[in-house]
Amino acid sequence: MSAVLSAIQNQRSRQKRASDRPTQALCAIIRHERAARAVAALNTTIGDAVQQCSIYRRAHETEFPGKDTAALWTSDGKVMTHLWEAYNETTDGPYNVRTLDADEQRDYLVGTGCPHCLKAWEAVEARRLARKELGQAKQSIRAIGRAALGKDD
């Protein structure tokens, strides 16, 4: 009788471990999807905020830019918004010229008085973290797949 109970408990234990795998996989997939949605939403937020910048609006006033609006574009077709300026601004470091770090970029944008570019910059920083989470979610999905293949193969 105890052998039968032991066999039943072992079978239930194996079934429980097997049922944990899909749950773990499903959680990893959900984590990945949430991170992917966060990245997509932040991309939209960045685009919407940059389009509200006064420099961006001035650069897109007309179909044919004049001398005053042509100076707002880079040679590779980007509008030189306050956000662009913050990322391309340089400062003299103790050993060389360098671009601004994150705190300096934030201070620069606050100093420009453009709330739209500041909002875009904050969304860029949040997207950086969301992309990191997305990468970690992909790693966990691949780890589950590798573990499943390793046991079956």
Side-chain angles (χ1 to χ4, degrees):
M1 180 96 150
S2 65
V4 173
L5 287 175
S6 176
I8 291 172
Q9 288 175 344
N10 286 340
Q11 183 180 7
R12 285 184 182 163
S13 176
R14 275 186 261 125
Q15 287 174 346
K16 186 175 182 180
R17 277 185 261 131
S19 67
D20 286 345
R21 286 190 196 109
T23 304
Q24 183 183 13
L26 185 59
C27 287
I29 292 168
I30 290 169
R31 179 182 176 196
H32 180 274
E33 182 61 23
R34 282 185 178 147
R37 286 182 182 187
V39 169
L42 288 165
N43 285 339
T44 302
T45 301
I46 292 164
D48 292 346
V50 168
Q51 289 178 2
Q52 297 299 314
C53 175
S54 60
I55 295 175
Y56 184 91
R57 288 178 171 263
R58 197 171 341 126
H60 287 88
E61 279 178 348
T62 63
E63 212 172 302
F64 305 103
K67 290 179 183 178
D68 57 334
T69 56
L72 301 175
W73 294 84
T74 63
S75 60
D76 59 344
K78 296 179 183 175
V79 180
M80 292 188 277
T81 61
H82 301 104
L83 182 63
W84 182 90
E85 291 172 359
Y87 281 121
N88 290 284
E89 185 70 23
T90 59
T91 185
D92 291 331
Y95 302 106
N96 58 1
V97 176
R98 62 173 181 79
T99 56
L100 303 179
D101 64 24
D103 292 331
E104 292 169 330
Q105 289 170 352
R106 185 174 186 12
D107 294 342
Y108 181 89
L109 288 167
V110 168
T112 64
C114 181
H116 310 294
C117 285
L118 180 59
K119 181 180 177 183
W121 179 83
E122 290 169 345
V124 168
E125 293 297 309
R127 182 180 64 183
R128 184 173 291 138
L129 296 175
R131 283 180 173 167
K132 184 176 181 180
E133 174 65 20
L134 182 61
Q136 291 172 349
K138 284 180 183 180
Q139 283 179 333
S140 63
I141 290 171
R142 292 200 61 217
I144 292 168
R146 281 192 305 273
L149 285 175
K151 291 181 180 181
D152 293 342
D153 288 344

